[in-house]
Amino acid sequence: MTTKTERKRDKNFITMAIETSCDETSAAILRGDREIMSNVISSQIDIHRAYGGVVPEIASRHHLENINGVVETAMEEAGVSWEDINLIGVTYGPGLSGALVIGVAAAKAYSVAKGIPLIGVNHMHGHMAAAYGAYSNLEPPFISLVVSGGHTNIVKVKSYTEFEVLGATRDDAIGEAYDKVARVLGLGYPGGPKIDKLAKEGDGTAVEFKRTWLEKGTYDFSFSGIKTGVLNYVNTENQAGREVNKADVAASFQEAVVEVVSTKTMEAVRKEGMDTLVLAGGVAANSRLSQVMKTICERENVKLCIPPAIMCTDNAGMVAIAAHYEFMERGGDGLDLDAVSGLDI
Ligand code: KG4
Ligand code: ZN
């Protein structure tokens, strides 16, 4: 009988994971608990760009067309065959129902056909687990700021499998606000990376957008106000016949959201007495957010972990890491595993 810790260190334990919660079809192979051997991501961004956002029906269809090829490529790149694989992990929520269903169905089919245990993974746990792949000594507990297209959360990661949400957005997710502001500025989809890039040429103090702090002491967020603020500003300038300096607007918007997010996150780090902060999710790839966080964390002696950009946006590598820890803790799931679109952290 092996103990949980011994199994966790078993370098020969191979996990294959699948991620299809939104518009990336991804499969990865993980050795042990943290060594990512391959992480194949087939992005549909070029297809959805024409519509200005992800079209759920189109996403599902492309997942269905791509999933087997992506899994085969991940296995080839890692140099493993089905006999080597000990566990199949799959994102079962949160995300787009029709997109999740494709990944879950594929994972179940492989599990049955190849006789390999199956486990469902919470996509948000995956985002937080991404940092383990990049920081070999990182151990819970820590605070994680999870910032993506669908979520904005400050989470206390108590153990590899226990999470407490300290704060959440009450309206738009931060990535959603980035995407909507980008649309107002005519920058195209996905807007986050475009605003990030354009803001580098702008002045973050040019326009004073109102910061939404909510009640004193809360770790919750609200981003709908600033989104409307940007829209109103652009409309007013246009109506007055003044040319809008898009770089200044992008930089000023970014400065406002980064200030709120970084301030609340550091309050949580201090209050919870944590010495480590992990950034997670697509918006963790934002250069201004990481710059501001680095400065504050250095000053306050907090260890800051930011996974490489490819592990911040949706990918199956992060799902594989979370799948491994989850399986060591509670064992696998049955074939009744189902997609749960609105799954909580
Ligand atoms: O985690 P993710 O890939 O998908 C979700 O689970 O939502 O996050 C996607 C979000 C999008 O809103 C995208 O605009 C944003 O992350 N994003 C960024 C950057 N890169 C991606 N936002 C700001 N700056 C970036 N560099
Ligand atoms: Zn995500």
Side-chain angles (χ1 to χ4, degrees):
M1 176 82 183
T2 50
T3 66
K4 281 178 185 174
T5 323
E6 278 163 353
R7 284 162 73 195
K8 213 184 291 177
R9 290 205 191 101
D10 180 358
K11 280 288 163 206
N12 297 317
F13 192 94
I14 306 277
T15 303
M16 188 276 280
I18 292 175
E19 154 67 38
T20 63
S21 67
C22 191
D23 60 344
E24 327 277 1
T25 316
S26 181
I29 304 291
L30 176 79
R31 191 190 349 229
D33 60 345
R34 299 185 180 201
E35 188 194 337
I36 292 177
M37 301 171 78
S38 67
N39 193 7
V40 177
I41 304 162
S42 167
S43 174
Q44 306 175 8
I45 282 182
D46 290 339
I47 300 158
H48 296 282
R49 187 172 282 131
Y51 305 93
V54 178
V55 183
E57 282 301 316
I58 297 177
S60 311
R61 203 176 68 225
H62 283 277
H63 286 313
L64 190 57
E65 283 167 8
N66 294 334
I67 187 68
N68 298 108
V70 167
V71 168
E72 279 160 24
T73 310
M75 289 175 62
E76 255 168 50
E77 280 187 14
V80 299
S81 61
W82 286 109
E83 292 74 53
D84 303 319
I85 295 173
N86 305 98
L87 174 67
I88 296 174
V90 62
T91 301
Y92 76 106
L96 303 168
S97 301
L100 289 165
V101 159
I102 307 296
V104 171
K108 281 186 197 173
Y110 284 126
S111 168
V112 172
K114 309 293 179 188
I116 301 169
L118 170 77
I119 191 157
V121 173
N122 182 315
H123 180 78
M124 305 315 291
H125 297 182
H127 273 305
M128 289 183 266
Y132 296 129
Y135 297 85
S136 56
N137 296 323
L138 175 64
E139 302 262 0
F142 51 79
I143 294 292
S144 184
L145 170 66
V146 192
V147 276
S148 75
H151 291 80
T152 310
N153 290 105
I154 297 176
V155 182
K156 183 172 172 181
V157 180
K158 297 171 162 178
S159 74
Y160 287 106
T161 53
E162 289 170 299
F163 306 84
E164 183 188 343
V165 177
L166 303 177
T169 182
R170 293 188 188 165
D171 40 56
D172 292 347
I174 184 169
E176 210 178 336
Y178 264 92
D179 293 338
K180 285 177 182 168
V181 165
R183 202 172 305 152
V184 169
L185 294 176
L187 302 179
Y189 169 85
K194 298 212 159 116
I195 291 193
D196 192 355
K197 192 160 169 243
L198 185 63
K200 291 196 170 91
E201 296 158 24
D203 172 6
T205 63
V207 191
E208 181 66 25
F209 290 120
K210 193 171 175 296
R211 278 80 168 141
T212 307
W213 295 101
L214 301 172
E215 322 81 78
K216 204 173 168 4
T218 182
Y219 297 125
D220 283 354
F221 300 101
S222 166
F223 297 107
S224 66
I226 185 151
K227 180 193 68 190
T228 315
V230 174
L231 183 66
N232 290 344
Y233 173 81
V234 170
N235 285 342
T236 308
E237 295 299 290
N238 283 340
Q239 274 161 15
R242 287 187 291 263
E243 201 185 321
V244 172
N245 182 325
K246 291 185 182 180
D248 281 353
V249 174
S252 301
F253 158 76
Q254 181 163 271
E255 215 47 41
V257 291
V258 166
E259 183 186 324
V260 173
V261 165
S262 58
T263 304
K264 289 195 178 231
T265 303
M266 292 314 293
E267 273 169 18
V269 169
R270 278 180 228 119
K271 180 104 185 293
E272 296 294 328
M274 296 285 165
D275 61 2
T276 305
L277 171 65
V278 169
L279 300 197
V283 186
N286 183 264
S287 60
R288 183 63 184 150
L289 179 64
S290 50
Q291 191 185 32
V292 168
M293 282 303 192
K294 263 180 209 151
T295 308
I296 305 176
C297 286
E298 258 169 40
R299 194 175 62 216
E300 303 206 11
N301 222 0
V302 170
K303 185 177 177 230
L304 176 66
C305 301
I306 309 177
I310 196 72
M311 290 291 287
C312 286
T313 47
D314 291 349
N315 70 92
M318 67 184 200
V319 177
I321 298 173
H324 178 273
Y325 285 122
E326 195 73 30
F327 184 71
M328 294 306 154
E329 186 60 36
R330 67 173 175 89
D333 286 314
L335 288 178
D336 55 349
L337 177 71
D338 228 334
V340 182
S341 177
L343 187 67
D344 288 333
I345 288 178

